[in-house]
Amino acid sequence: MLAQGCARPSRSRNAAAGQDDDTKAQIDKLWQEVQQEALAPQSSIVPGSILCTVCLRGIKAHKKCYLVVEEPKHYHEANEDCIAQGGTLATPRNLRENNDLRDYARLSSPGTKDFWIGVTDIVKEGQYVDVNSMPISYFNWDRAKKEPTGGKRESCAVLSLSAQGKWHDEVCRTEKRYICEYLIH
């Protein structure tokens, strides 16, 4: 599904001081494209184009692209934002995906401790599902802190960098940065 021509910019070994300026210019151009596509009517959006931009700005792993969003939002607003961009909140399906998300989040947003992920028990306490209401089988709760501990008050999952990628539940109305996930077919 990736559009043709979607690739990371090549870097020449002969490139000198202008390399950082070129990279910044490319990132600025991609950001402008994302903003224009987000404002365009849905019928004019080319799905591969947004996906290319996301994959270039984020990381590509496990047949998905992931993108950290720096603007803190409530859980539901974060998921709506991911959906508006063609994805959902990231839902790690195994330890490898979880560790890749942890490492990517640490590099992308140094100093940030927690990120929303697409795991919640809002519908039925203790029954965690993904953002599509599908049961999940992989969990990475911080058992050292006896997570999940929130009862009905804390129903949304957070990937915690301070706990080396372990999860804890949190009040969904708390504003946090988040990670979106986009499927590559």
Side-chain angles (χ1 to χ4, degrees), residues 49-82:
S49 178
I50 289 176
L51 189 55
C52 282
T53 304
V54 167
C55 289
L56 287 171
R57 289 179 46 225
I59 63 163
K60 186 169 136 182
H62 316 289
K63 296 186 178 182
K64 301 174 187 174
C65 289
Y66 299 102
L67 183 65
V68 164
V69 179
E70 293 290 324
E71 182 185 346
K73 294 189 178 188
H74 302 181
Y75 180 88
H76 299 293
E77 293 171 333
N79 191 46
E80 287 172 11
D81 183 53
C82 292

Side-chain angles (χ1 to χ4, degrees), residues 32-183:
Q32 288 173 352
E33 289 175 13
V34 168
Q35 295 303 315
Q36 289 171 350
E37 289 173 358
L39 297 174
Q42 289 291 0
S43 61
S44 68
I45 292 177
V46 179
S49 178
I50 289 176
L51 189 55
C52 282
T53 304
V54 167
C55 289
L56 287 171
R57 289 179 46 225
I59 63 163
K60 186 169 136 182
H62 316 289
K63 296 186 178 182
K64 301 174 187 174
C65 289
Y66 299 102
L67 183 65
V68 164
V69 179
E70 293 290 324
E71 182 185 346
K73 294 189 178 188
H74 302 181
Y75 180 88
H76 299 293
E77 293 171 333
N79 191 46
E80 287 172 11
D81 183 53
C82 292
I83 290 169
Q85 301 301 320
T88 60
L89 280 172
T91 305
R93 301 294 179 177
N94 56 51
L95 182 60
R96 197 171 97 215
E97 282 187 21
N98 195 85
N99 289 346
D100 285 347
L101 283 176
R102 175 202 63 205
D103 295 344
Y104 166 59
R106 184 174 286 132
L107 289 172
S108 296
S109 191
T112 302
K113 294 179 182 176
D114 297 332
F115 295 85
W116 288 127
I117 57 173
V119 177
T120 181
D121 72 342
I122 292 172
V123 175
K124 184 175 180 187
E125 181 60 31
Q127 185 174 344
Y128 286 88
V129 297
D130 67 14
V131 292
N132 296 313
S133 299
M134 299 300 296
I136 59 173
S137 58
Y138 170 76
F139 299 95
N140 197 31
W141 296 116
D142 188 348
R143 295 296 180 195
K145 294 184 180 176
K146 307 212 186 299
E147 292 289 348
T149 60
K152 293 185 182 210
R153 185 164 141 55
E154 298 177 355
S155 297
C156 296
V158 168
L159 181 135
S160 174
L161 298 185
S162 57
Q164 287 69 49
K166 297 288 185 187
W167 305 353
H168 67 267
D169 53 352
E170 181 72 65
V171 176
C172 301
R173 299 288 298 163
T174 306
E175 290 191 347
K176 297 196 176 296
R177 293 177 178 167
Y178 51 100
I179 306 169
C180 295
E181 135 183 331
Y182 306 83
L183 297 178

